[in-house]
Amino acid sequence: MKVSAIIFWILGVFFVFAATLYAFWVDWTEWAGIPAIYALAAMSWMIAWYVQSTDKRHGLGPSDDVDGEITEYAGTYGTFAPSSWWPLGVATACALIVTGLAIDWWILLLGVVAGVYFTYGWVYEFSRGKYAH
């Protein structure tokens, strides 16, 4: 994970450099792209900090071993329901929210309500129903 943290620290520095260069290129007049690229730098640094702090707790991983093999990554990466419809509902709710931003407020509200419902269902999927444990 040390390699991943270093990559994200470098990406953050690159995005700061790119945002500053872009800002000088457009004479600091374009106020959508400049903050967005600076936000990319901030997000890269947040990921780098998280990966670095997680690395301190867990120690060396397979990616840090010079002689590491791909098979060392084998194992369980999470628990997933075999046939879950909740992600489709969340995606539909997100589409309704974006459509509501473009068209009218009532579609936005419908999307927010659907988003809360489907997110709640997805989070508590393993607490009730077929896959309860």
Side-chain angles (χ1 to χ4, degrees), residues 36-103:
I37 301 173
Y38 279 123
L40 278 172
M43 287 185 277
S44 295
W45 286 335
M46 286 191 311
I47 293 171
W49 171 80
Y50 174 76
V51 168
Q52 195 170 15
S53 64
T54 304
D55 179 53
K56 288 179 184 175
R57 283 189 303 237
H58 296 291
L60 291 176
S63 62
D64 296 320
D65 187 11
V66 176
D67 298 323
E69 295 291 329
I70 293 175
T71 57
E72 293 177 24
Y73 276 112
T76 304
Y77 282 98
T79 304
F80 305 99
S83 61
S84 177
W85 287 92
W86 295 108
L88 181 63
V90 171
T92 304
C94 290
L96 282 173
I97 290 171
V98 171
T99 303
L101 287 171
I103 296 177

Coordinates of all heavy atoms in Angstrom, one line a residue, residues 36-103:
A36 N -12.4 22.7 -9.8 CA -12.6 21.3 -10.0 C -11.2 20.6 -10.0 O -11.1 19.5 -9.4 CB -13.4 21.0 -11.3
I37 N -10.3 21.2 -10.7 CA -8.9 20.5 -10.7 C -8.3 20.6 -9.4 O -7.6 19.6 -8.9 CB -8.1 21.1 -11.8 CG1 -8.8 20.9 -13.2 CG2 -6.7 20.4 -11.9 CD1 -8.1 21.6 -14.3
Y38 N -8.4 21.7 -8.7 CA -7.9 21.8 -7.3 C -8.6 20.8 -6.4 O -8.0 20.2 -5.5 CB -8.1 23.2 -6.7 CG -7.0 24.2 -7.2 CD1 -7.3 25.3 -7.8 CD2 -5.6 23.9 -6.9 CE1 -6.3 26.2 -8.2 CE2 -4.6 24.7 -7.4 CZ -5.0 25.9 -8.0 OH -4.0 26.8 -8.4
A39 N -9.9 20.5 -6.6 CA -10.6 19.5 -5.8 C -10.1 18.1 -6.1 O -10.1 17.3 -5.2 CB -12.1 19.6 -6.1
L40 N -9.7 17.9 -7.4 CA -9.1 16.6 -7.7 C -7.8 16.4 -6.9 O -7.5 15.3 -6.4 CB -8.7 16.5 -9.2 CG -9.9 16.2 -10.1 CD1 -9.4 16.3 -11.6 CD2 -10.3 14.7 -9.9
A41 N -7.0 17.5 -6.7 CA -5.8 17.4 -5.9 C -6.2 17.1 -4.5 O -5.5 16.2 -3.9 CB -5.0 18.7 -6.0
A42 N -7.2 17.8 -4.0 CA -7.6 17.5 -2.6 C -8.1 16.1 -2.4 O -7.7 15.4 -1.4 CB -8.6 18.5 -2.2
M43 N -8.8 15.6 -3.3 CA -9.3 14.2 -3.2 C -8.2 13.2 -3.4 O -8.2 12.2 -2.7 CB -10.4 14.0 -4.3 CG -11.7 14.6 -4.0 SD -13.0 14.3 -5.1 CE -12.7 15.4 -6.4
S44 N -7.2 13.5 -4.2 CA -6.1 12.6 -4.3 C -5.3 12.5 -3.0 O -4.9 11.4 -2.6 CB -5.1 13.0 -5.5 OG -5.8 12.9 -6.7
W45 N -5.1 13.7 -2.4 CA -4.4 13.7 -1.1 C -5.2 13.0 0.0 O -4.7 12.4 0.9 CB -4.1 15.1 -0.7 CG -3.0 15.7 -1.6 CD1 -2.0 15.0 -2.2 CD2 -2.7 17.0 -1.8 NE1 -1.1 15.8 -2.9 CE2 -1.6 17.1 -2.7 CE3 -3.4 18.2 -1.5 CZ2 -1.0 18.3 -3.1 CZ3 -2.8 19.4 -2.0 CH2 -1.7 19.4 -2.8
M46 N -6.6 13.1 -0.1 CA -7.4 12.4 0.9 C -7.2 10.9 0.8 O -7.1 10.2 1.8 CB -8.9 12.8 0.8 CG -9.2 14.2 1.3 SD -10.9 14.6 1.5 CE -11.6 14.1 0.0
I47 N -7.2 10.4 -0.5 CA -7.0 9.0 -0.7 C -5.7 8.6 -0.2 O -5.5 7.5 0.4 CB -7.3 8.6 -2.2 CG1 -8.8 8.9 -2.5 CG2 -6.9 7.2 -2.5 CD1 -9.1 8.8 -4.0
A48 N -4.6 9.4 -0.6 CA -3.3 9.1 -0.2 C -3.2 9.0 1.4 O -2.5 8.1 1.9 CB -2.3 10.1 -0.7
W49 N -3.8 9.9 2.1 CA -3.7 9.9 3.5 C -4.4 8.7 4.1 O -3.9 8.1 5.0 CB -4.4 11.2 4.1 CG -4.6 11.1 5.5 CD1 -3.6 11.4 6.5 CD2 -5.7 10.8 6.2 NE1 -4.1 11.2 7.7 CE2 -5.4 10.8 7.6 CE3 -7.0 10.4 5.8 CZ2 -6.4 10.5 8.6 CZ3 -7.9 10.1 6.8 CH2 -7.6 10.2 8.1
Y50 N -5.6 8.3 3.5 CA -6.3 7.2 4.0 C -5.5 5.9 3.7 O -5.4 5.0 4.6 CB -7.7 7.1 3.3 CG -8.4 5.8 3.7 CD1 -9.0 5.6 4.9 CD2 -8.4 4.7 2.8 CE1 -9.6 4.5 5.3 CE2 -9.0 3.5 3.1 CZ -9.6 3.4 4.4 OH -10.3 2.3 4.7
V51 N -4.9 5.8 2.6 CA -4.2 4.6 2.3 C -2.9 4.5 3.1 O -2.6 3.4 3.6 CB -3.8 4.5 0.7 CG1 -2.8 3.5 0.4 CG2 -5.0 4.3 -0.1
Q52 N -2.3 5.6 3.4 CA -1.1 5.6 4.2 C -1.4 5.3 5.7 O -0.7 4.6 6.3 CB -0.4 7.0 4.1 CG 1.0 7.0 4.7 CD 1.7 8.3 4.3 OE1 1.0 9.3 3.9 NE2 3.0 8.4 4.4
S53 N -2.5 5.8 6.2 CA -2.9 5.5 7.6 C -3.4 4.1 7.7 O -3.2 3.5 8.8 CB -4.0 6.5 8.1 OG -5.2 6.4 7.3
T54 N -4.0 3.6 6.7 CA -4.4 2.2 6.7 C -3.2 1.3 6.7 O -3.2 0.2 7.3 CB -5.4 1.8 5.6 OG1 -6.5 2.7 5.6 CG2 -5.9 0.4 5.6
D55 N -2.2 1.7 5.9 CA -1.0 0.9 5.8 C -0.3 0.8 7.2 O 0.3 -0.3 7.5 CB -0.1 1.5 4.8 CG 1.2 0.8 4.6 OD1 1.2 -0.4 4.4 OD2 2.3 1.4 4.7
K56 N -0.3 1.8 8.0 CA 0.3 1.8 9.3 C -0.3 0.8 10.2 O 0.3 0.2 11.0 CB 0.3 3.2 9.9 CG 1.2 4.2 9.3 CD 1.1 5.5 10.0 CE 1.9 6.6 9.3 NZ 1.7 7.9 9.8
R57 N -1.6 0.6 10.0 CA -2.3 -0.4 10.9 C -2.1 -1.8 10.4 O -2.1 -2.8 11.2 CB -3.8 -0.1 10.9 CG -4.2 1.0 11.8 CD -5.7 1.1 11.9 NE -6.3 1.2 10.6 CZ -7.1 2.2 10.2 NH1 -7.4 3.2 11.1 NH2 -7.6 2.3 9.0
H58 N -2.1 -2.0 9.1 CA -2.1 -3.4 8.5 C -0.7 -3.9 8.1 O -0.5 -5.1 7.8 CB -3.0 -3.5 7.4 CG -4.4 -3.3 7.8 ND1 -5.1 -4.2 8.6 CD2 -5.3 -2.3 7.5 CE1 -6.3 -3.7 8.8 NE2 -6.5 -2.5 8.2
G59 N 0.3 -3.0 8.0 CA 1.6 -3.5 7.6 C 1.8 -3.7 6.1 O 1.0 -3.2 5.3
L60 N 2.8 -4.5 5.8 CA 3.1 -4.7 4.4 C 2.0 -5.6 3.7 O 1.5 -6.5 4.3 CB 4.4 -5.4 4.3 CG 5.7 -4.6 4.6 CD1 6.9 -5.4 4.5 CD2 5.8 -3.4 3.7
G61 N 1.7 -5.2 2.5 CA 0.8 -6.0 1.7 C 1.5 -6.6 0.5 O 2.7 -6.4 0.3
P62 N 0.8 -7.4 -0.3 CA 1.4 -8.1 -1.4 C 2.0 -7.1 -2.4 O 3.0 -7.4 -3.1 CB 0.3 -8.9 -2.0 CG -0.7 -9.0 -0.9 CD -0.6 -7.8 -0.1
S63 N 1.5 -5.9 -2.5 CA 2.0 -5.0 -3.5 C 3.3 -4.3 -3.1 O 4.0 -3.8 -3.9 CB 0.9 -3.9 -3.8 OG 0.7 -3.1 -2.6
D64 N 3.6 -4.4 -1.8 CA 4.9 -3.8 -1.3 C 6.0 -4.8 -1.4 O 7.2 -4.4 -1.2 CB 4.7 -3.4 0.1 CG 3.7 -2.3 0.3 OD1 3.7 -1.4 -0.6 OD2 2.9 -2.3 1.2
D65 N 5.7 -6.1 -1.7 CA 6.8 -7.1 -1.8 C 7.3 -7.1 -3.2 O 6.6 -7.2 -4.2 CB 6.2 -8.5 -1.4 CG 7.2 -9.6 -1.4 OD1 8.4 -9.2 -1.4 OD2 6.8 -10.7 -1.3
V66 N 8.6 -6.9 -3.3 CA 9.3 -6.9 -4.6 C 9.1 -8.2 -5.3 O 8.9 -8.3 -6.5 CB 10.8 -6.6 -4.4 CG1 11.5 -6.6 -5.8 CG2 11.0 -5.2 -3.8
D67 N 9.1 -9.3 -4.6 CA 9.0 -10.6 -5.2 C 7.5 -11.1 -5.1 O 7.3 -12.3 -5.2 CB 9.9 -11.6 -4.5 CG 11.4 -11.3 -4.7 OD1 11.7 -10.8 -5.8 OD2 12.1 -11.4 -3.7
G68 N 6.6 -10.2 -4.9 CA 5.2 -10.6 -4.7 C 4.5 -11.2 -5.9 O 4.9 -10.8 -7.1
E69 N 3.6 -12.1 -5.7 CA 2.9 -12.7 -6.8 C 1.4 -12.3 -6.8 O 0.9 -11.9 -5.8 CB 2.9 -14.2 -6.7 CG 4.3 -14.8 -6.8 CD 4.9 -14.7 -8.3 OE1 4.1 -14.8 -9.2 OE2 6.1 -14.6 -8.4
I70 N 0.8 -12.3 -8.0 CA -0.6 -11.9 -8.1 C -1.5 -12.8 -7.2 O -2.5 -12.4 -6.7 CB -1.0 -12.0 -9.6 CG1 -0.3 -10.9 -10.3 CG2 -2.5 -11.8 -9.7 CD1 -0.5 -10.9 -11.8
T71 N -1.1 -14.1 -7.1 CA -1.9 -15.0 -6.3 C -2.0 -14.7 -4.9 O -2.9 -15.2 -4.2 CB -1.4 -16.5 -6.5 OG1 0.0 -16.5 -6.1 CG2 -1.5 -16.9 -7.9
E72 N -1.1 -13.8 -4.4 CA -1.1 -13.4 -3.0 C -2.3 -12.5 -2.7 O -2.7 -12.3 -1.5 CB 0.2 -12.7 -2.6 CG 1.4 -13.7 -2.6 CD 2.7 -12.9 -2.3 OE1 2.6 -11.9 -1.6 OE2 3.7 -13.4 -2.7
Y73 N -2.9 -12.0 -3.7 CA -4.1 -11.1 -3.6 C -5.4 -12.0 -3.5 O -6.4 -11.4 -3.3 CB -4.2 -10.2 -4.7 CG -3.4 -8.9 -4.6 CD1 -2.4 -8.7 -5.4 CD2 -3.8 -8.0 -3.6 CE1 -1.6 -7.5 -5.3 CE2 -3.0 -6.8 -3.5 CZ -1.9 -6.6 -4.3 OH -1.2 -5.4 -4.2
A74 N -5.3 -13.3 -3.6 CA -6.5 -14.1 -3.6 C -7.1 -14.1 -2.2 O -6.5 -13.9 -1.2 CB -6.1 -15.6 -3.9
G75 N -8.4 -14.2 -2.3 CA -9.2 -14.1 -1.0 C -10.5 -13.4 -1.2 O -10.9 -13.0 -2.3
T76 N -11.2 -13.3 -0.1 CA -12.5 -12.6 -0.1 C -12.3 -11.1 0.0 O -11.7 -10.6 0.9 CB -13.4 -13.1 1.0 OG1 -13.4 -14.5 1.0 CG2 -14.7 -12.5 1.0
Y77 N -12.9 -10.4 -0.9 CA -12.9 -8.9 -0.9 C -14.1 -8.3 -0.4 O -14.2 -7.1 -0.2 CB -12.6 -8.4 -2.3 CG -11.2 -8.5 -2.8 CD1 -10.8 -9.6 -3.6 CD2 -10.2 -7.6 -2.4 CE1 -9.5 -9.7 -3.9 CE2 -8.9 -7.8 -2.7 CZ -8.5 -8.8 -3.5 OH -7.2 -8.9 -3.9
G78 N -15.1 -9.1 -0.1 CA -16.4 -8.5 0.4 C -17.5 -9.6 0.3 O -17.3 -10.7 -0.2
T79 N -18.6 -9.2 0.9 CA -19.8 -10.0 0.8 C -20.8 -9.4 -0.1 O -21.3 -8.2 0.2 CB -20.4 -10.2 2.2 OG1 -19.3 -10.7 3.1 CG2 -21.5 -11.2 2.2
F80 N -21.2 -10.0 -1.1 CA -22.1 -9.5 -2.1 C -23.3 -10.4 -2.3 O -23.2 -11.6 -2.3 CB -21.5 -9.3 -3.4 CG -20.2 -8.4 -3.3 CD1 -19.0 -9.0 -3.3 CD2 -20.3 -7.0 -3.3 CE1 -17.8 -8.3 -3.2 CE2 -19.2 -6.3 -3.2 CZ -17.9 -6.9 -3.1
A81 N -24.5 -9.8 -2.3 CA -25.7 -10.6 -2.6 C -25.7 -11.1 -4.0 O -25.3 -10.4 -4.9 CB -27.0 -9.8 -2.3
P82 N -26.0 -12.4 -4.3 CA -26.0 -12.9 -5.6 C -26.9 -12.2 -6.6 O -26.6 -12.1 -7.8 CB -26.3 -14.4 -5.5 CG -26.7 -14.6 -4.1 CD -26.4 -13.4 -3.3
S83 N -28.1 -11.8 -6.1 CA -29.0 -11.2 -7.0 C -29.7 -10.0 -6.3 O -30.8 -10.2 -5.8 CB -30.1 -12.2 -7.5 OG -30.8 -12.7 -6.4
S84 N -29.1 -8.9 -6.4 CA -29.6 -7.7 -5.7 C -30.1 -6.7 -6.7 O -29.5 -6.3 -7.6 CB -28.5 -7.1 -4.8 OG -29.0 -5.9 -4.2
W85 N -31.4 -6.3 -6.5 CA -32.0 -5.2 -7.3 C -31.8 -3.8 -6.8 O -32.2 -2.9 -7.4 CB -33.4 -5.5 -7.6 CG -33.6 -6.7 -8.5 CD1 -33.8 -8.0 -8.1 CD2 -33.7 -6.7 -9.9 NE1 -33.9 -8.8 -9.2 CE2 -33.8 -8.0 -10.3 CE3 -33.6 -5.7 -10.8 CZ2 -33.9 -8.4 -11.7 CZ3 -33.6 -6.0 -12.2 CH2 -33.8 -7.4 -12.6
W86 N -31.3 -3.7 -5.5 CA -31.2 -2.4 -4.9 C -30.2 -1.5 -5.7 O -30.5 -0.3 -5.8 CB -30.7 -2.6 -3.5 CG -31.7 -3.3 -2.6 CD1 -31.6 -4.5 -2.1 CD2 -33.0 -2.8 -2.2 NE1 -32.8 -4.8 -1.4 CE2 -33.6 -3.8 -1.4 CE3 -33.7 -1.6 -2.4 CZ2 -34.9 -3.6 -0.8 CZ3 -34.9 -1.4 -1.8 CH2 -35.5 -2.4 -1.0
P87 N -29.1 -1.9 -6.2 CA -28.2 -1.0 -6.9 C -28.9 -0.4 -8.1 O -28.7 0.8 -8.5 CB -27.0 -1.9 -7.3 CG -27.0 -3.0 -6.4 CD -28.4 -3.2 -6.0
L88 N -29.8 -1.2 -8.8 CA -30.5 -0.6 -10.0 C -31.4 0.5 -9.5 O -31.6 1.5 -10.2 CB -31.3 -1.8 -10.7 CG -32.0 -1.4 -11.9 CD1 -31.1 -0.9 -13.0 CD2 -32.9 -2.5 -12.4
G89 N -32.1 0.3 -8.4 CA -33.0 1.3 -7.9 C -32.2 2.6 -7.5 O -32.7 3.7 -7.7
V90 N -31.0 2.4 -6.9 CA -30.2 3.6 -6.5 C -29.8 4.3 -7.8 O -29.8 5.6 -7.9 CB -29.0 3.2 -5.7 CG1 -28.0 4.3 -5.5 CG2 -29.4 2.6 -4.3
A91 N -29.4 3.6 -8.8 CA -29.0 4.2 -10.1 C -30.2 4.9 -10.7 O -30.0 6.1 -11.3 CB -28.5 3.1 -11.1
T92 N -31.4 4.4 -10.7 CA -32.6 5.0 -11.2 C -32.9 6.3 -10.4 O -33.2 7.3 -11.0 CB -33.8 4.1 -11.2 OG1 -33.4 2.9 -11.9 CG2 -35.0 4.7 -11.8
A93 N -32.7 6.2 -9.1 CA -33.0 7.4 -8.3 C -32.0 8.5 -8.6 O -32.3 9.7 -8.7 CB -32.9 7.0 -6.8
C94 N -30.7 8.2 -8.9 CA -29.7 9.2 -9.2 C -30.1 9.8 -10.6 O -29.9 11.0 -10.8 CB -28.3 8.5 -9.3 SG -27.7 8.1 -7.7
A95 N -30.5 9.0 -11.5 CA -30.9 9.5 -12.8 C -32.1 10.4 -12.7 O -32.2 11.5 -13.3 CB -31.3 8.3 -13.8
L96 N -33.1 10.1 -11.8 CA -34.2 11.0 -11.5 C -33.7 12.3 -10.9 O -34.3 13.4 -11.2 CB -35.2 10.3 -10.6 CG -36.1 9.3 -11.2 CD1 -37.0 8.6 -10.2 CD2 -37.0 10.0 -12.3
I97 N -32.8 12.3 -10.0 CA -32.3 13.5 -9.4 C -31.6 14.4 -10.4 O -31.9 15.6 -10.4 CB -31.3 13.1 -8.2 CG1 -32.0 12.5 -7.1 CG2 -30.5 14.3 -7.8 CD1 -31.2 11.9 -6.0
V98 N -30.8 13.8 -11.3 CA -30.1 14.6 -12.3 C -31.2 15.2 -13.3 O -31.1 16.3 -13.7 CB -29.0 13.8 -13.0 CG1 -28.5 14.5 -14.2 CG2 -27.9 13.5 -12.1
T99 N -32.1 14.4 -13.7 CA -33.2 14.8 -14.5 C -34.0 15.9 -13.9 O -34.4 16.9 -14.5 CB -34.1 13.7 -14.9 OG1 -33.3 12.7 -15.5 CG2 -35.2 14.1 -15.9
G100 N -34.3 15.8 -12.6 CA -35.0 16.8 -11.8 C -34.2 18.1 -11.7 O -34.8 19.2 -11.8
L101 N -32.9 18.1 -11.7 CA -32.1 19.3 -11.7 C -32.3 20.0 -13.0 O -32.3 21.3 -13.0 CB -30.7 19.0 -11.4 CG -30.3 18.6 -10.0 CD1 -28.8 18.1 -9.9 CD2 -30.5 19.8 -9.0
A102 N -32.4 19.3 -14.1 CA -32.5 19.9 -15.4 C -34.0 20.3 -15.7 O -34.1 21.3 -16.5 CB -32.0 18.9 -16.4
I103 N -35.0 19.6 -15.2 CA -36.3 19.9 -15.7 C -37.2 20.6 -14.7 O -37.6 21.7 -14.9 CB -37.0 18.5 -16.1 CG1 -36.2 18.0 -17.3 CG2 -38.4 18.7 -16.5 CD1 -36.7 16.6 -17.8

